[in-house]
Amino acid sequence: MAARPRTAETREATVPISEDVVVVGGGIAGASAALSAAETGASVRLVTYKKSTMRFASGLIDILGYTPDGDGPVADPYDALGELPDNHPYSIVGEDAVREAFAMFDEVAGDLYLGGHTDTNALLPTHGGTVKPTARYPKTARHGLASDDRDMLLVGFESLPDFDAPLAADHMGAAGVPFDVDGVTVEFPERFRADAKVTRFAKALDNDEKSVRRRLAKTVESHLDGAERVGFPALLGDVKNEEVRESLSEMLGVDVFEVPMGPPSLAGLRLEDALFDALDEAGVRISAGNPAVGYETDESGERITTVLVDQKGRETPYHAEQVVLATGGLVGKGIESSREAVEEPIFGCHIPHSEDRYDWFDLDAFGDHPFAKFGVVPDDELRPTDAEGNVEFANLRAAGGIVGGADFAAEKSGSGISLATGLVAGRNAGTEATQ
């Protein structure tokens, strides 16, 4: 879908909703932008269409795990920032902004997350058996650190094929972790359908009907074989996760931790709840469930005056002094591609790409894929620029996955870039709107 500029005369007249700053996108970047804009005293509205991509993420919050050249894991991500290319999002916002963004994250996350006591990356096991460098990690994962030399048992469930504990244990062992790690697959005490969501397991442990926790501990106990800590998939309770984890630990007599999982990720959902609670507390107005589909500009065409939101076929105008675009990249659908072109669908911002789509990827599956770095090219204020390097709109800024220049997945840098660019884009927008 191409971007659709409008004038007030081309749509049905509607009284616009007016804010100092409108943030389009409800992920980590959008939340960071909205929070930092609100701190300037600006009135802020966050517009989000689909459910946040946080539910698809592990819940681990990275700064930089690997360099763009593939070197790593990086021990101190801040040391590596100065070696990044000039067009990398971190190079544009600077180290101070990254530190400020993570200080803001630590305040929002509170005791849900650990890692803020050091600049050094922690190493956490994932559900695939890899060891991932990360800057912040859920408190419930703390006993799974790979720097801890205590022997480990990983536990999976027959009815949860997403986590193959024996295979994950083999992978960790092959990676050379400094402890023995075993894996076992057991039956969960309650029977669910084969396609049951992880929330069914979590709620069963929350409610503890029929002594589910004790029965699970009894099942696992016979497999300990000297292990001093036990890792379960990250489903140990929905709203009572720390209580569930502690009770299992007490029953087993060893430390229990959660292994970060893929979608749907309860750790990601818990983080989403914390961020949206912070947005409510900051007075950010949230409009959810309807997509932004176009915009209006002033007579010069240089400033966006209105973001148009489709509400059941009716375009509702959201007037804004400043706008932040935080809709994500290709995965988040903030960038759309066809066989002919790559587009930013709301404002029509320029996305550099080769005309030959065969140049968008590398023949090696694990190679350096150009599409992984697709995104807008921002100026030093994070305003998207056109093909000639001119600012697209004077009052539009970009944050998160929509910003090009970094391979988030390979670098393990996505959440950190979202936080840092969100902070800078939101703060600049809020400051300018209130001047």
Side-chain angles (χ1 to χ4, degrees), residues 27 45 47 82 119 123 165 209 219 239 248 289 294 320 328 388:
R45 182 175 296 271
V47 177
D119 287 351
L123 296 174
E209 293 180 4
T219 300
V239 296
L248 288 173
E388 285 72 45

Side-chain angles (χ1 to χ4, degrees), residues 88-106:
H88 194 284
Y90 281 144
S91 299
I92 295 170
V93 299
E95 179 181 332
D96 287 346
V98 180
R99 290 186 180 277
E100 285 183 61
F102 272 80
M104 181 177 71
F105 174 84
D106 291 339

Side-chain angles (χ1 to χ4, degrees), residues 184-197:
V184 63
T185 302
V186 301
E187 287 283 357
F188 191 77
E190 290 293 301
R191 290 188 175 275
F192 301 124
R193 285 170 30 182
D195 61 348
K197 296 180 179 179

Side-chain angles (χ1 to χ4, degrees), residues 270-357:
R270 293 168 193 153
L271 175 57
E272 180 181 69
D273 288 344
L275 285 169
F276 275 80
D277 285 347
L279 290 169
D280 286 339
E281 211 171 293
V284 174
R285 298 169 181 85
I286 299 172
S287 297
N290 299 294
V293 294
Y295 64 97
E296 296 171 356
T297 68
D298 61 9
E299 291 183 359
S300 71
E302 295 177 355
R303 294 183 67 85
I304 294 167
T305 59
T306 306
V307 176
L308 298 173
V309 175
D310 185 347
Q311 295 185 333
K312 298 181 179 178
R314 180 188 181 96
E315 289 184 351
T316 300
Y318 288 74
H319 175 75
E321 294 296 324
Q322 297 285 322
V323 180
V324 177
L325 177 63
T327 46
L330 286 166
V331 174
K333 304 299 183 183
I335 297 173
E336 294 184 349
S337 64
S338 64
R339 298 179 72 88
E340 291 77 31
V342 181
E343 299 177 317
E344 185 282 299
I346 300 174
F347 302 103
C349 294
H350 174 61
I351 307 288
H353 62 281
S354 169
E355 292 185 5
D356 185 347
R357 67 188 183 91

Side-chain angles (χ1 to χ4, degrees), residues 17-24 30 33-47 283-285 307 318-325 395-397 422 425-434:
I17 298 167
S18 183
E19 306 287 358
D20 291 329
V21 179
V22 168
V23 177
V24 184
L35 287 170
S36 59
E39 285 183 355
T40 68
S43 64
V44 182
R45 182 175 296 271
L46 185 146
V47 177
V284 174
R285 298 169 181 85
V307 176
Y318 288 74
H319 175 75
E321 294 296 324
Q322 297 285 322
V323 180
V324 177
L325 177 63
N395 61 338
L396 175 67
R397 290 172 173 81
R427 182 169 58 198
N428 287 350
T431 300
E432 193 164 323
T434 55

Side-chain angles (χ1 to χ4, degrees), residues 226-265:
E228 300 169 272
R229 49 183 174 154
V230 176
F232 291 91
L235 48 72
L236 299 184
D238 186 7
V239 296
K240 300 179 181 177
N241 59 299
E242 187 63 14
E243 176 188 313
V244 172
R245 192 200 60 77
E246 287 179 352
S247 64
L248 288 173
S249 180
E250 184 178 340
M251 293 171 193
L252 288 168
V254 298
D255 285 326
V256 166
F257 64 94
E258 288 188 319
V259 178
M261 296 288 290
S265 165

Side-chain angles (χ1 to χ4, degrees), residues 141-183:
R142 66 187 181 275
H143 294 299
L145 290 171
S147 54
D148 185 337
D149 63 2
R150 292 178 297 164
D151 292 345
M152 176 188 294
L153 173 68
L154 298 178
V155 177
F157 300 123
E158 293 283 359
S159 47
L160 189 72
D162 290 346
F163 182 43
D164 186 330
L167 182 62
D170 288 345
H171 286 173
M172 286 184 66
V177 292
F179 49 83
D180 290 335
V181 54
D182 291 317

